[in-house]
């Protein structure tokens, strides 16, 4: 653009404006005087070979557009109520988050080095370590705090996803997740749990996947124990000890629990109680009865600080886990349990109202020959209405049963053999131990000794002896005890003159009988006995 400034045609100025549309690359206008004649604008003329025009891709154009625009990012405050965070607070939080991330990296690197050294020093058949016991002194030093509640939410709806198909990219788990851990957790929640939750699997309930795993994703000790159980289940079933990796997880969980209990205010959360229950159950599976008792005494003191077992009435899964740890060892050593199972309004099977009289013909013969204590009669009636809750409460009642002092020695012996036989029968209904674990050999030995004593007097119905002999053969792993019950069953069958399976099945149904559970295994035992009888007759 040109314009005259002095009115003279020979004196003029040239004003050059920037025509660029971008506000970031604009320049001020240039004023050039033409007082001494027209100026030659050589500086605005580009010399040389013209540059080839670059065709920009859509992605580059969008990137330029994003860079040229003002940032719309805002600081995220993850609290229950929105709060404004100023620049200083944002900088402080980011700095602390980065420091925490770097510290986690260093700790994980150190843990991997320790684990690598431990793996190198352990052989493939590493013995099961003696777990660090939760000493009673820890609990005596602890201070009861009624405000100590579970650190977990009441429901699992807001927890991490239940599916464990990928690792969270932000490393939100309490421990560093490795691929082998994901495989173990997946196996535990899809197949292994069926041997540990015999009733729940029939109603499409998967407690490890729906409840315990989400809880473990927020508690490092429980997650370590979860991985340990998944790894140890297969090795225990094959009669081997846990491997080095499983032992490492167990030791870390024990150390974490000890640290929580030794704190000035012990952290007795639901997850901590679940971990101690698993410790106790693991010890009894490995035959360490002394360690099981130590863990159960500690668990009892922990529950006392939380209000007792009654405080977990609404949390049925955790209460069930406590009962499993208690009953597993109490049945094995045949002693009174550490806790009580108070059942209110005991449920019955749909269509089968709870009865108050014994309807079983086999047990009816026994009750006609001897007057049973009222408590034992009530237990027999309760077993007729089989539910998982009824089984648990009945097991507690049988373990705590004490005969009346006014009974004779013969009456006490018969009631004892009834008590032990019913305990063994209930174990067949809800056997939640890994396959091959000799968990009920002590019960079998006690049953054998009592049966020998009673049969010497000839005061026991032989059909009941045959029934409990078959049950004992199906559950006991000790070869001597199993051989005794096989011989006893063979002798009774020959004495009764039974020659076919249908007669045996009818006899068993006169007592307690679960078709789906007992038919297959009892028929297999009958086939072995039948072969044994035929071979004996040939000789």
């Amino acid at each position: 653009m040109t314009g005259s400034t002095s009115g003279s045609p020979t004196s003029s100025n040239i004003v050059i404006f920037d025509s660029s549309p971008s506000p970031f690359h604009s320049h001020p206008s240039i004023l050039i005087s033409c007082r001494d004649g027209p100026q030659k604008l050589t500086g605005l003329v580009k010399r040389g070979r013209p540059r080839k025009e670059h065709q920009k891709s859509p992605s580059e154009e969008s990137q330029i557009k994003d860079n040229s625009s003002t940032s719309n990012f805002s600081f995220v405050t993850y609290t229950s109520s929105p709060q404004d965070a100023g620049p200083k607070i944002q900088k402080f939080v980011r700095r602390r988050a980065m420091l925490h991330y770097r510290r986690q990296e260093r700790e994980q690197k150190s843990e991997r080095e320790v684990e690598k050294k431990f793996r190198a020093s352990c052989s493939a058949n590493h013995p099961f370590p003696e777990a660090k016991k939760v000493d009673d002194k820890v609990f005596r030093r602890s201070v009861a705090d009624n405000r100590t509640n579970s650190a977990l939410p009441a429901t699992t709806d807001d927890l991490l996803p239940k599916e464990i198909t990928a690792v969270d990219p932000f490393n939100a788990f309490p421990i560093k997740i490795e691929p082998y851990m994901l495989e173990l957790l997946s196996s535990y929640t899809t197949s292994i749990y069926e041997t540990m939750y015999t009733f729940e699997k029939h109603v499409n309930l998967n407690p490890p996947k729906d409840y315990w795993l989400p809880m473990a994703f927020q508690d490092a000790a429980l997650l370590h124990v979860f991985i340990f159980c998944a790894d140890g289940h297969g090795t225990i079933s094959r009669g081997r000890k846990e491997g080095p990796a499983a032992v490492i997880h167990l030791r870390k969980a024990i150390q974490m629990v000890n640290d929580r209990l030794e704190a000035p205010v012990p952290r007795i959360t639901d997850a901590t109680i679940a971990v101690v229950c698993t410790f106790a159950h693991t010890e009894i599976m490995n035959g360490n009865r002394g360690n099981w008792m130590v863990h159960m005494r500690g668990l009892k003191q922990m529950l006392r600080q939380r209000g007792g077992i009654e405080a977990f009435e609404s949390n049925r899964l955790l209460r069930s886990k406590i009962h499993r740890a208690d009953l597993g060892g109490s049945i094995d050593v045949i002693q009174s349990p550490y806790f009580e199972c108070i059942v209110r309004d005991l449920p019955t099977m749909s269509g089968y109202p709870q009865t108050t009289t014994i309807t079983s013909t086999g047990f009816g013969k026994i009750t006609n020959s001897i007057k049973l204590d009222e408590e034992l009669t009530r237990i027999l009636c309760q077993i007729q209405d089989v539910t998982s809750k009824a089984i648990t409460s009945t097991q507690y009642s049988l373990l705590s049963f004490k005969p009346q002092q006014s009974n004779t020695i013969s009456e006490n012996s018969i009631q004892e053999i009834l008590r032990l036989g019913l305990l063994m029968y209930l174990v067949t209904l809800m056997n939640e131990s890994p396959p091959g674990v000799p968990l009920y050999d002590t019960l079998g030995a006690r049953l054998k000794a009592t049966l020998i004593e009673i049969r010497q007097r000839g005061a026991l119905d032989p059909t009941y002896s045959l029934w409990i002999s078959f049950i004992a053969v199906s559950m006991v792993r000790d070869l001597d005890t199993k051989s005794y019950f096989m011989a006893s069953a063979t002798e009774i069958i020959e004495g009764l003159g039974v020659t076919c399976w249908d007669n045996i099945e009818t006899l068993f149904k006169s007592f307690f009988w679960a078709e789906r559970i007992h038919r297959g295994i009892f028929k297999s035992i009958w086939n072995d006995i039948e072969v044994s009888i035929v071979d004996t007759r040939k000789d």
Side-chain angles (χ1 to χ4, degrees):
M1 175 181 177
T2 61
S4 174
T5 57
S6 60
S8 172
T10 60
S11 177
S12 62
N13 295 329
I14 298 176
V15 181
I16 302 177
F17 297 96
D18 184 11
S19 62
S20 174
S22 174
F24 297 96
H25 302 283
S26 61
H27 300 280
S29 57
I30 303 174
L31 178 63
I32 302 176
S33 174
C34 299
R35 184 172 300 175
D36 298 327
Q39 292 287 335
K40 210 172 181 182
L41 303 178
T42 58
L44 300 176
V45 180
K46 294 183 178 180
R47 297 180 178 274
R49 187 175 181 178
R51 183 177 297 178
K52 183 178 179 181
E53 184 177 0
H54 177 65
Q55 297 291 335
K56 296 181 180 179
S57 63
S59 60
E60 290 178 342
E61 292 180 356
S62 62
Q63 184 177 1
I64 294 174
K65 183 178 180 180
D66 292 340
N67 292 337
S68 61
S69 60
T70 306
S71 175
N72 292 324
F73 294 108
S74 60
F75 191 80
V76 178
T77 305
Y78 187 72
T79 58
S80 57
S81 59
Q83 300 177 3
D84 295 331
K88 293 184 178 180
I89 296 179
Q90 295 180 20
K91 182 178 180 181
F92 174 78
V93 171
R94 292 191 181 98
R95 181 174 178 272
R96 298 298 298 179
M98 183 55 67
L99 290 175
H100 176 69
Y101 176 76
R102 297 300 184 191
R103 182 167 56 251
Q104 275 191 329
E105 281 189 336
R106 291 193 298 269
E107 291 176 354
Q108 291 169 2
K109 182 179 179 181
S110 177
E111 290 178 359
R112 286 194 295 269
E113 292 177 353
V114 172
E115 181 177 348
K116 186 177 180 181
K117 292 179 181 179
F118 184 81
R119 287 175 183 269
S121 62
C122 293
S123 60
N125 297 324
H126 192 281
F128 185 81
E130 183 169 352
K132 184 177 179 181
K133 304 177 180 62
V134 182
D135 195 353
D136 292 343
K137 294 181 180 179
V138 174
F139 296 95
R140 286 195 294 269
R141 293 197 306 266
S142 63
V143 180
D145 185 7
N146 294 331
R147 295 173 299 173
T148 304
N149 294 316
S150 173
L152 301 172
T155 62
T156 59
D157 296 337
D158 298 328
L159 294 176
L160 294 177
K162 300 172 185 177
E163 302 296 335
I164 48 174
T165 57
V167 179
D168 188 272
F170 295 98
N171 193 20
F173 299 119
I175 65 175
K176 178 66 175 179
I177 297 294
E178 298 182 14
Y180 81 92
M181 300 180 188
L182 293 176
E183 294 178 2
L184 290 174
L185 294 175
S186 177
S187 175
Y188 191 90
T189 55
T190 55
S191 59
I192 296 177
Y193 89 96
E194 294 183 351
T195 63
M196 305 179 65
Y197 295 89
T198 53
F199 275 83
E200 289 82 353
K201 67 180 181 181
H202 295 298
V203 293
N204 295 325
L205 179 62
N206 189 340
K209 181 179 178 180
D210 298 335
Y211 185 78
W212 296 117
L213 188 58
M215 183 184 289
F217 281 158
Q218 295 191 354
D219 188 276
L222 186 57
L223 187 55
H224 278 300
V225 165
F226 221 106
I227 298 171
F228 166 77
C229 291
D231 186 89
H233 185 275
T235 56
I236 292 177
S237 301
R238 293 188 292 270
R240 299 205 307 261
K241 298 296 183 181
E242 290 81 356
V247 173
I248 290 174
H249 288 289
L250 178 63
R251 288 180 173 176
K252 288 181 179 179
I254 292 174
Q255 184 60 48
M256 290 177 182
V257 171
N258 287 335
D259 292 342
R260 295 175 186 179
L261 299 179
E262 291 173 356
V265 178
R267 294 173 51 200
I268 307 178
T269 63
D270 288 358
T272 304
I273 292 174
V275 171
V276 177
C277 290
T278 308
F279 288 162
H281 197 262
T282 300
E283 296 293 355
I284 203 65
M285 291 296 170
N286 287 275
N288 301 325
R289 297 182 178 90
N291 291 348
W292 169 78
M293 293 179 180
V294 171
H295 289 307
M296 291 307 300
R297 287 197 298 268
L299 181 62
K300 191 170 185 177
Q301 296 190 39
M302 291 169 63
L303 294 185
R304 188 180 297 120
Q305 296 190 32
R306 287 285 301 271
I309 188 68
E310 297 81 7
F312 299 89
E313 183 69 24
S314 60
N315 194 340
R316 296 186 177 182
L317 287 175
L318 183 57
R319 187 184 58 186
S320 175
K321 197 172 188 66
I322 296 170
H323 289 324
R324 279 182 169 90
D326 191 13
L327 288 174
S330 298
I331 294 175
D332 182 47
V333 299
I334 317 175
Q335 70 171 31
S336 298
Y338 283 87
F339 302 101
E340 296 181 357
C341 184
I342 302 175
V343 181
R344 302 179 180 88
D345 300 327
L346 186 67
T348 59
M349 297 291 287
S350 177
Y352 296 89
Q354 189 171 353
T355 58
T356 57
T357 59
I358 298 175
T359 58
S360 169
T361 57
F363 285 106
K365 293 179 181 179
I366 298 177
T367 56
N368 292 333
S369 62
I370 181 177
K371 184 180 179 181
L372 298 181
D373 292 354
E374 293 182 1
E375 178 66 15
L376 191 57
T377 303
R378 184 191 65 79
I379 293 173
L380 284 169
C381 295
Q382 186 171 302
I383 295 178
Q384 294 175 156
D385 307 299
V386 177
T387 63
S388 61
K389 197 171 184 179
I391 290 177
T392 301
S393 63
T394 305
Q395 287 175 323
Y396 271 91
S397 300
L398 288 170
L399 288 169
S400 304
F401 172 74
K402 302 295 181 184
Q404 298 178 4
Q405 296 181 355
S406 60
N407 295 338
T408 64
I409 297 177
S410 178
E411 289 175 341
N412 287 339
S413 298
I414 292 177
Q415 294 195 90
E416 178 66 8
I417 198 69
L418 285 173
R419 182 177 81 98
L420 297 176
L422 293 174
L423 273 173
M424 187 71 78
Y425 166 75
L426 293 177
V427 166
T428 64
L429 297 183
M430 200 164 65
N431 181 20
E432 298 178 338
S433 61
V437 176
L439 187 58
Y440 307 107
D441 285 352
T442 304
L443 177 59
R446 181 83 166 266
L447 186 64
K448 171 186 172 182
T450 309
L451 186 60
I452 292 173
E453 179 183 351
I454 294 178
R455 291 184 65 184
Q456 289 175 351
R457 300 192 184 98
L460 185 64
D461 184 6
T463 56
Y464 176 77
S465 299
L466 182 62
W467 180 69
I468 61 174
S469 295
F470 268 69
I471 290 177
V473 171
S474 66
M475 294 304 301
V476 174
R477 296 290 178 266
D478 181 71
L479 296 180
D480 293 338
T481 306
K482 186 187 286 287
S483 299
Y484 167 79
F485 284 111
M486 284 289 290
S488 176
T490 304
E491 180 183 349
I492 295 172
I493 288 173
E494 289 181 330
L496 295 175
V498 180
T499 58
C500 65
W501 164 252
D502 292 338
N503 294 338
I504 289 288
E505 185 176 4
T506 302
L507 186 150
F508 287 157
K509 287 181 178 179
S510 66
F511 294 94
F512 295 141
W513 170 269
E515 183 81 16
R516 185 173 182 177
I517 298 174
H518 297 134
R519 179 179 174 83
I521 189 170
F522 280 14
K523 190 171 183 179
S524 175
I525 296 172
W526 160 255
N527 292 336
D528 294 340
I529 292 176
E530 192 175 25
V531 171
S532 176
I533 293 175
V534 172
D535 293 342
T536 303
R537 290 175 179 174
K538 287 181 180 180
D539 296 339

